[in-house]
Structure formats: structure tokens, C-alpha cells
Amino acid sequence: MDSPCAHDLASLFEKTHQALRFYHNKSQWPQIYPLLSQLAEQYYKLYSSHPNAMQAQLTLYLDTHGYTTNLVVNQCVIISALCRSLNYDSKITQLLICVCLTNYLCVQTQTNKLALRQPLNLQEKKQWQSRHQLAVKLLQSANVPTEHIAGILSRLNKYKQALLSTPKIMIYDGRTTLVALANIIAMNITYRTQDDHINIYKAVADIYIRTPNLFAQQALKALIAHLGPYLPGSLVHYHDQQLTYIGEDSRQRHLLIALNEQHKSKWYSVKAQLASNSKQRPSQDKRLLFSVWFNEHLALPVEALNAEKQQLLMLISQVKVQQEYSYSALARLLNHHPTTVELLREAVKPYNKEHLAGKDLRHCLSMVGLYNAPAIIQQVLFDQLVSHHAHPLMQHIQFRLQAIIRLLDLLISHDEHNQFEHLALPIYGYVNYLIEYCSTTISRKTLYEKQLKSDVSMPFAWLFGVTTYDSDQLTDYLLELLGDNPWTQALLDAEQQQKQHLSAEAQLWVAIKLIVTHVFQPDAKQSSWQTDTLERVLKRLNWQSSEQFYNELPSLGLSNSV
């Protein structure tokens, strides 16, 4: 789909329709997951390049494909819009689109009947109630991991209820919340012959008013800001004519089109406030459904390069912790980064007795000294980089990261030989890698070794619920950014080398992982070598015992997002 066209949009509808029919042919089950993955990618790419073409499907009901297909397409468009409005990456977006495609995979007949208010027989009721389990069974026939899709589907009905209920039902998973929102909205806006459906603005407003969930409210606000006041495909009245709203041209004027004549269309470019009707309506006009959205007059979205993120990565690579700097050299690096300087002013508070912020960059550097400055600057940059990412579990990630940093700070607080910021940097780099490359597998789980048979320490990734990642890619990523930091290689060694080959620095990383696991999974057991390593590290860092260390934990004020 290098140059998307009307054919691609029509193909998307047709392939979605075909996928919903695969349930009735068991020999085709192994092809379901590859097809859904391909479809999810196509939805994502087409929404990225031609959002108006996709948004228009929320106002247009393709008569030839039936209720369920239109419902699923609407749900996929809405989840694409939600993810785009929240700046989620392609991996998260495509996972959630895949879940939306799976939602009605086995119940096309039942969904069509329910839309027509026809009763289901006993067998159909059973199939409807077990639709999500059946869908996962179909996906598993391709012998691929489906736990993330299965997890979202298993929570979906509960989340839909929680989003619309009072008193408040606690829900925590952002991904399931978004799929539930997309499903509720799609069900409310998809055309039905009874004419009891509503437009997307009313659907969003109804949920926003009813839901007690803050994350859902923020997502709905972002969605409406992203869609804007006029939905492509809406009917508008202009100069006593009924026209269709297409979007904006390069001059930010409204593009309208008249399709009254079968072989002729008339375009209007206007600057006026419009009264529009965005309620979904049936259509068989292929020009309106597919063709007009790829017209040269329609302004395409400008793909904004993530300049800020690239600048942060460049700065991190330029500031070396093992290099000697002058005040003027550091000032030249940071002069054009006022946000970084402002955060640095706060970061230097612990370096004076009064805990006062630095007045300006030079004051900050004088306060901490040139030896300490590079690591402190890098920590501020990494903190910015992590915060720059968007993720459904971002609050949890930040809580967990700060908890690890505070535990590390406490661990080395009795030792005068290690600079805290040097140790903290590889953790920031590691977490940034997880957000960048493992966004779909991060979870609230704190994983731990249950069999206690391994003589290699568990990965840091387990503290964020991630079990599968490319260790070579992680190594290259951390060494490229933080290769001059001696603690970086030690962290990698701590999860790649056997216990008998671990250096004292690597053992410290083993210890901090055991401490974090103990805090968030108190029932987790430790093997004898892990306990010995922890006690050895604590004594080396001037703690009398693990009991003395753990007695200090309440003072940290650690929080959990659950």
C-alpha cells in the first residue's frame, strides 16, 4: 500500500467481510490469524495516510455487506482514531485493531439477527456467550501466541459494563478500555433499520457523561479533538443544496461535493460555518464510499517527524559520563533545550542542603560539579525520553520505574564510592527500550522465577511483565546509547551470564532485581544463590542485613498503579 487508492479501501471492506465468514470453513482456520494481522496493518496504514477516507466510513453504511461487517469496520476505524489521537505506536494500534477484528469473528449470523431484533435459538445463544473463547480457538489453530488478544477479549464484557456503570467498578488495563470504548461507540453508531442509532458525537458524549473512568474520559476527549467538528461523509446544507463534507483543502477551506448526477460530481471550496448531519446512512454510491477520498484537492495529513525525540537521543549520545567537560562545553550542548535546563534545575535539588532549585544552567553545573554533571544531565534526558512516549500503561510504567530508582537510591545510600546517577542511567535506557520495542507485551505483571532452577538472574524486563524480546537488539541499543557507562555492561551481564561468572557490579544488579521483586511480589521465593548474592551485596554496600534494609522501605513512599 505504497500509494493507497480507492481499490485499497474497497479491498479492506471485502477482506473484513471474508474474514468474518471463515468460521464456517474449518479448513481455513489456520489462515485466520495471518489474514487478521495483514488486515490490521492495512487498516493502520490507510488510516495514517488517508484518515478522511476511513473516518467517512463512520457516516456511510455499505448496503451490500450487512450489519456485522459494517459494525466491525466502524470499530476498527474508531480504534485507529483513538490510537492516533493518543499517539500510540503502530504495534499497539495494530494489536488493538486485531482484537476488534476478532471480536465478532464467530458470530456474524447472531450479530445480524440481534441487530434486526430477531431472537436467537438455544444453540445460537450458547455460541454468542462463548464467542470470545471460540475466536481465540480459531486464532490458535495457526500455532501463534494469542495471549494478549485472549487477555483483552476475556476482560472486554466486564470493561464495557464498568465504563457505563455507577457506582465505580475499578478497571486498570488501558488497552481493554480502548477496545471496549470502540465497541460501545460502534454499536451505537452503526446503521440499523429501526433508526435507533446515533452519530458519533452523541455516542461519545453519552459515554463521557456516564463513565466514571478517568482514562476513558481522557481518551474520549482526545478522540473528539482528533476528529474535529465535521466528520467526513456528513451531509451538510449549503446555499439550499444538500452536499457531502469531504474535509479541508490545502488552504484550510471546507471541501464539499455534490453527487446528484450519476456520472458527474461538483466540488465546492468554502469558508463558512456548517450545519452537518453525521449519522450513519446506507449508500451504494462507490464514488462516495471509496473514490472521492483520494482526490488531489483533499489535504493529506502531514507526518510530523518526531524531532523532539530524535534531539533527546542525540543529546544522550553526545553527553558522555566518562568525558571531562568545561562549563562552556556543556552550556553549548544544552543552550537550545530550555525544557531540559528547566528539569535540570529541579534535578539538582538534592545537591544542596536547602533543597533549592538551580537558578540557571551555570548555577546547576556549579552546584553539582563538572564530574557529576554529565550523568545528571543524561538522567534528566532519559526521564524526558520515557515521558515522551505514549502507551496505554504509561502511568504504571512511570510508577514502576520511579519505584526501581528509589529502591536503587536506598540500596547505595550507605556507600560513598558509587555515583547514583551512573547506576540509574542503564535502568532508564532499559525501560526506554521496552517502550520502544516491546510496547504490546508490557503489562502490570511482576514476573518471577517459580521453579528456582536457573543459575542466571531473571531479566529486568520481567519487572514490566515482558517475557519475550531480542536480547541482541537490547544489548546493541544500550551499548550504543550508554556504552561508556561501566554499569551498562554489568546490567547486561547480570541477566546473560551464569552466577559463578558475575562481577561485583553485576551482582548489584541481581540484588536490585530481587529487591524489586520482593516489594511487588512478596510471595516470590528466592533460591539459595540469590539470597547469598543479595546478602553479599548489602554487606558490601554497608548494610548490616536485608532486614535492616527492608525496614527502611516505608520511608520511600512507594506506590503501585493497581
Side-chain angles (χ1 to χ4, degrees):
M1 286 175 58
D2 293 333
S3 301
C5 60
H7 172 75
D8 296 312
L9 183 55
S11 172
L12 205 58
F13 251 105
E14 190 56 43
K15 287 180 180 177
T16 303
H17 190 62
Q18 289 173 3
L20 294 171
R21 298 165 64 88
F22 270 23
Y23 171 72
H24 302 288
N25 188 344
K26 197 167 184 177
S27 65
Q28 292 183 312
W29 285 10
Q31 271 101 70
I32 289 269
Y33 183 81
L35 174 62
L36 297 189
S37 299
Q38 181 191 52
L39 264 175
E41 183 181 8
Q42 289 175 340
Y43 270 101
Y44 173 78
K45 286 185 175 179
L46 197 47
Y47 193 94
S48 299
S49 63
H50 289 76
N52 287 44
M54 300 297 280
Q55 291 170 15
Q57 306 313 311
L58 304 178
T59 64
L60 304 168
Y61 182 92
L62 187 58
D63 242 351
T64 56
H65 281 63
Y67 176 81
T68 305
T69 300
N70 281 274
L71 173 66
V72 171
V73 169
N74 287 342
Q75 191 172 340
C76 291
V77 172
I78 293 165
I79 201 69
S80 300
L82 278 166
C83 290
R84 176 52 60 96
S85 70
L86 295 166
N87 296 316
Y88 292 160
D89 66 22
S90 61
K91 295 186 286 291
I92 292 174
T93 305
Q94 289 178 44
L95 169 66
L96 299 188
I97 294 171
C98 208
V99 176
C100 290
L101 289 166
T102 308
N103 194 13
Y104 293 97
L105 198 56
C106 306
V107 286
Q108 184 183 35
T109 303
Q110 290 87 336
T111 308
N112 286 338
K113 288 181 73 172
L114 290 170
L116 294 170
R117 297 181 181 172
Q118 296 174 356
L120 304 181
N121 62 38
L122 185 60
Q123 181 61 36
E124 288 172 334
K125 285 180 181 177
K126 287 182 179 178
Q127 192 167 325
W128 176 261
Q129 290 167 354
S130 60
R131 63 192 183 279
H132 293 147
Q133 296 94 314
L134 283 171
V136 172
K137 183 180 178 182
L138 260 67
L139 298 185
Q140 289 173 340
S141 62
N143 294 317
V144 293
T146 59
E147 61 268 19
H148 300 299
I149 293 175
I152 293 173
L153 288 176
S154 68
R155 295 186 291 265
L156 187 55
N157 288 336
K158 175 193 170 184
Y159 273 53
K160 286 171 64 177
Q161 179 188 356
L163 286 170
L164 301 175
S165 69
T166 309
K168 192 173 183 179
I169 299 174
M170 299 304 292
I171 54 178
Y172 303 103
D173 186 69
R175 291 172 295 195
T176 310
T177 301
L178 293 176
V179 174
L181 287 173
N183 185 224
I184 295 168
I185 296 169
M187 290 178 69
N188 284 331
I189 71 168
T190 304
Y191 172 80
R192 290 182 291 273
T193 53
Q194 301 92 333
D195 199 34
D196 58 349
H197 60 293
I198 56 180
N199 68 51
I200 192 168
Y201 297 103
K202 182 167 178 13
V204 168
D206 287 351
I207 304 171
Y208 185 86
I209 291 169
R210 291 180 64 183
T211 186
N213 185 270
L214 182 60
F215 175 80
Q217 289 181 335
Q218 291 170 339
L220 292 171
K221 286 171 70 175
L223 173 63
I224 292 300
H226 171 68
L227 293 177
Y230 306 112
L231 197 62
S234 300
L235 292 174
V236 298
H237 288 279
Y238 182 71
H239 286 189
D240 299 324
Q241 296 184 83
Q242 183 169 268
L243 308 174
T244 302
Y245 179 79
I246 302 298
E248 290 187 343
D249 60 17
S250 56
R251 296 178 298 166
Q252 294 185 316
R253 295 170 67 89
H254 300 310
L255 274 179
L256 310 176
I257 192 171
L259 296 169
N260 301 325
E261 299 180 37
Q262 190 171 358
H263 301 292
K264 185 180 179 182
S265 57
K266 188 173 182 181
W267 290 82
Y268 298 83
S269 177
V270 305
K271 195 77 173 177
Q273 191 166 352
L274 304 170
S276 67
N277 178 5
S278 54
K279 194 172 177 180
Q280 192 168 58
R281 63 192 187 278
S283 177
Q284 294 184 357
D285 189 334
K286 291 187 177 179
R287 295 173 300 168
L288 182 57
L289 288 164
F290 308 121
S291 303
V292 298
W293 310 106
F294 299 89
N295 187 280
E296 61 184 6
H297 298 302
L298 187 61
L300 294 176
V302 178
E303 278 297 323
L305 293 173
N306 206 332
E308 185 180 348
K309 178 182 169 185
Q310 296 306 319
Q311 286 178 349
L312 290 171
L313 286 168
M314 185 180 296
L315 266 177
I316 288 170
S317 63
Q318 288 173 338
V319 179
K320 301 295 184 183
V321 296
Q322 298 295 321
Q323 184 174 326
E324 290 188 16
Y325 289 93
S326 64
Y327 288 116
S328 57
L330 288 172
R332 278 197 301 272
L333 280 174
L334 298 178
N335 264 343
H336 301 294
H337 303 279
T339 303
T340 302
V341 173
E342 190 61 32
L343 292 170
L344 184 62
R345 289 180 59 239
E346 294 295 314
V348 299
K349 282 183 176 180
Y351 286 83
N352 65 84
K353 292 180 180 178
E354 293 80 15
H355 278 253
L356 298 174
K359 294 177 183 177
D360 51 31
L361 177 59
R362 187 171 185 85
H363 184 221
C364 290
L365 298 177
S366 302
M367 197 183 294
V368 301
L370 287 177
Y371 174 74
N372 296 323
I376 297 171
I377 292 169
Q378 270 198 351
Q379 183 179 339
V380 168
L381 290 169
F382 264 118
D383 219 356
Q384 278 183 273
L385 194 58
V386 170
S387 300
H388 191 69
H389 289 285
H391 193 281
L393 293 175
M394 200 65 224
Q395 186 184 51
H396 166 74
I397 294 168
Q398 290 176 323
F399 280 162
R400 181 57 52 90
L401 173 60
Q402 291 307 315
I404 295 171
I405 295 298
R406 288 179 187 176
L407 287 166
L408 176 63
D409 193 12
L410 177 64
L411 180 63
I412 66 167
S413 60
H414 293 183
D415 181 73
E416 297 179 354
H417 299 96
N418 293 311
Q419 186 185 351
F420 164 69
E421 286 80 12
H422 281 206
L423 276 83
L425 289 175
I427 299 177
Y428 279 97
Y430 200 125
V431 172
N432 194 70
Y433 168 83
L434 293 178
I435 301 172
E436 188 85 27
Y437 293 99
C438 307
S439 58
T440 59
T441 54
I442 292 174
S443 75
R444 294 178 184 276
K445 295 178 181 176
T446 305
L447 305 175
Y448 57 93
E449 187 185 358
K450 294 182 180 178
Q451 300 301 322
L452 299 179
K453 293 180 179 178
S454 176
D455 58 358
V456 177
S457 177
M458 69 174 201
F460 245 108
W462 284 21
L463 302 176
F464 294 85
V466 177
T467 55
T468 306
Y469 61 95
D470 187 332
S471 60
D472 291 337
Q473 184 188 52
L474 169 66
T475 299
D476 293 343
Y477 182 88
L478 288 180
L479 291 180
E480 182 179 351
L481 282 181
L482 297 166
D484 71 317
N485 186 328
W487 290 100
T488 304
Q489 186 60 57
L491 182 148
L492 293 167
D493 291 344
E495 54 190 57
Q496 295 173 4
Q497 292 191 4
Q498 294 180 323
K499 58 186 181 183
Q500 61 268 30
H501 301 304
L502 296 178
S503 64
E505 291 77 14
Q507 287 177 359
L508 186 147
W509 288 122
V510 173
I512 191 63
K513 285 185 284 186
L514 291 172
I515 290 166
V516 177
T517 304
H518 175 77
V519 170
F520 292 103
Q521 285 285 9
D523 296 332
K525 305 295 182 186
Q526 293 181 5
S527 63
S528 57
W529 81 265
Q530 290 172 333
T531 302
D532 290 345
T533 301
L534 177 59
E535 294 294 341
R536 193 180 307 123
V537 169
L538 286 168
K539 286 181 180 172
R540 195 183 299 141
L541 295 173
N542 301 317
W543 290 92
Q544 294 177 5
S545 65
S546 57
E547 183 179 0
Q548 182 201 14
F549 175 82
Y550 286 127
N551 285 340
E552 295 289 328
L553 291 186
S555 65
L556 298 183
L558 299 181
S559 58
N560 197 335
S561 63
V562 177

